[in-house]
Amino acid sequence: MTSTQAQRGATSDTTAIRAVIQVVQLHKRYGDFTAVDHIDLEVGDDEIFGILGPNGAGKTTTLEMIEGLREPDGGMIEVNGIDAIREPNRVKHLIGVQLQTTSLFDHLTVRELIALFAALYDADTSSERIDQLLALVSLEEKSDARANQLSGGQQQRLSIALALVNDPEIVFLDEPTTGLDPQARRNLWDVISGLRAAGKTIVLTTHYMEEAEVLCDRVAIMDTGRIIACDTPLRLIQSLEQEATIRARVARGLDLDQFRELPGVIDAEIAEDQLSIRTHDVQTSLTALLALATEIDLRLDNLATTNANLEDVFLNLTGRSLRE
Ligand SMILES: Nc1ncnc2c1ncn2[C@@H]1O[C@H](COP(=O)(O)OP(=O)(O)O)[C@@H](O)[C@H]1O
Ligand SMILES: [Mg+2]
């Protein structure tokens, strides 16, 4: 990063992040439908910034407007101080965009594909550089495999390598782990963390709250075209003042008020036969719950507690579950 960019980043910001992406009042409609509704965003240097939200929230539209692939209806986007709406071509040199690997190139090997993309970008095509890219995405062993012989997770890693051929400062990943099994997802998280360690800024979208929580330095929670919260995962969760959710299977037709009145309890609900009690003091609430269960001869099956997480943050802000 150059000193001019550093100066530019030193803008007014309470969290003192150096902004490489600044988005102000960005909006986009499809006909009468508002997909992105006047959002503000600031992405700092060398951070993994996540946009978390359910399907249809407006994540891809937002990402593609910043990438210069969709035209906004209004607002401002600056990437490294460049007006991305007026000068998308200058921005394209700074960014890497993960594309879905296309079957068009299935007959090429991993190494050949990376070399081809590097050549298209007029970037370094030396075998040292290709080895370096292969190492960044942990595909050294697959360098001579054809793209159509790769697993889903390996294909995702290949598409990240292709996004890196021009050595971009900022990498955009749209739902990079959707459809992957848990093991492949964790491997990809390691790859993405490695990019941050290599000095890249990463902007990714996801609808997996665990991914946002584990991987992202900061998370913007998006719903129906709006950013409804933006902070570190920890601060978002702490803002809830909810310690945990206590869950158990119970007989139906119970009076909820008796659970809501227990000490420490924020709220209680029963869906099907699943009792959920949100508490800001799990030990106190659980002790009282067990005493109540003994008193009214209530059986609590599969009793478990889960620490508050981004799912709870979303639920608290929208009244809906992220997974719905
Ligand atoms: N090209 C388009 N034309 C019309 N509606 C669209 C188009 N692209 C997206 N939408 C709608 O805009 C909303 C946001 O879509 P999108 O940005 O893809 O959300 P996400 O990536 O969070 O799932 C959705 O309701 C979607 O159906
Ligand atoms: Mg999307």
Side-chain angles (χ1 to χ4, degrees):
M1 211 167 266
T2 66
S3 58
T4 8
Q5 285 155 1
Q7 281 157 16
R8 237 184 247 292
T11 47
S12 59
D13 189 319
T14 47
T15 54
I17 58 165
R18 199 165 64 147
V20 292
I21 298 174
Q22 187 142 30
V23 165
V24 182
Q25 292 295 298
L26 185 65
H27 55 280
K28 172 81 179 169
R29 300 168 69 92
Y30 299 113
D32 284 344
F33 177 76
T34 301
V36 173
D37 194 359
H38 298 83
I39 61 166
D40 297 329
L41 279 181
E42 216 163 49
V43 178
D45 199 9
D46 301 350
E47 74 174 340
I48 301 180
F49 186 90
I51 303 176
L52 171 69
N55 282 333
K59 303 181 297 294
T60 296
T61 304
T62 300
L63 212 62
E64 294 195 348
M65 287 193 287
I66 301 172
E67 293 164 357
L69 298 175
R70 289 196 207 193
E71 202 178 331
D73 290 323
M76 189 275 279
I77 305 169
E78 259 186 27
V79 178
N80 264 356
I82 299 167
D83 183 332
I85 299 174
R86 289 221 182 82
E87 302 189 90
N89 285 330
R90 276 182 71 202
V91 167
K92 284 191 178 113
H93 294 289
L94 300 168
I95 67 173
V97 176
Q98 181 191 21
L99 303 167
Q100 300 308 311
T101 36
T102 150
S103 55
L104 191 62
F105 301 117
D106 269 0
H107 60 288
L108 295 181
T109 68
V110 168
R111 175 174 288 280
E112 287 166 345
L113 261 174
I114 296 176
L116 172 66
F117 270 67
L120 289 174
Y121 268 95
D122 220 358
D124 186 354
T125 57
S126 67
S127 62
E128 291 78 18
R129 171 62 181 157
I130 293 172
D131 288 340
Q132 190 188 22
L133 286 167
L134 287 168
L136 263 176
V137 298
S138 305
L139 278 180
E140 298 99 319
E141 246 117 75
K142 292 287 166 187
S143 68
D144 296 319
R146 287 201 305 271
N148 60 5
Q149 296 168 325
L150 302 179
S151 70
Q154 290 164 345
Q155 287 188 10
Q156 287 292 72
R157 292 191 332 247
L158 171 58
S159 69
I160 291 177
L162 298 178
L164 296 173
V165 290
N166 61 334
D167 197 21
E169 295 196 26
I170 308 162
V171 183
F172 293 92
L173 309 171
D174 195 358
E175 307 240 3
T177 69
T178 293
L180 298 185
D181 61 62
Q183 179 62 47
R185 175 165 302 143
R186 286 199 167 72
N187 288 343
L188 208 67
W189 291 351
D190 289 341
V191 166
I192 295 169
S193 298
L195 298 182
R196 173 181 51 196
K200 311 282 182 208
T201 299
I202 295 121
V203 184
L204 63 85
T205 69
T206 183
H207 62 268
Y208 298 115
M209 68 90 189
E210 195 198 357
E211 178 159 289
E213 207 168 305
V214 173
L215 188 60
C216 297
D217 298 299
R218 289 192 311 130
V219 175
I221 299 181
M222 191 163 193
D223 186 45
T224 60
R226 298 198 185 92
I227 305 286
I228 53 178
C230 182
D231 211 329
T232 65
L234 186 65
R235 281 203 291 260
L236 287 168
I237 293 164
Q238 282 173 345
S239 72
L240 277 180
E241 294 179 6
Q242 171 187 330
E243 187 182 359
T245 303
I246 303 167
R247 290 188 178 85
R249 278 212 335 264
V250 293
R252 292 160 196 236
L254 288 169
D255 172 20
L256 271 178
D257 284 340
Q258 59 191 334
F259 302 110
R260 291 190 173 123
E261 284 158 9
L262 295 175
V265 168
I266 300 166
D267 202 5
E269 58 182 68
I270 298 180
E272 304 278 301
D273 56 357
Q274 178 80 35
L275 171 68
S276 304
I277 300 175
R278 296 192 295 118
T279 169
H280 46 75
D281 183 347
V282 67
Q283 187 173 348
T284 301
S285 298
L286 190 56
T287 307
L289 174 65
L290 294 173
L292 173 70
T294 305
E295 188 188 314
I296 64 172
D297 198 19
L298 170 68
R299 186 160 174 80
L300 299 168
D301 279 317
N302 291 8
L303 183 64
T305 70
T306 321
N307 289 339
N309 54 40
L310 288 179
E311 178 76 44
D312 296 309
V313 175
F314 189 83
L315 183 70
N316 186 56
L317 289 167
T318 66
R320 284 178 292 114
S321 161
L322 199 50
R323 283 172 290 224
E324 269 162 23

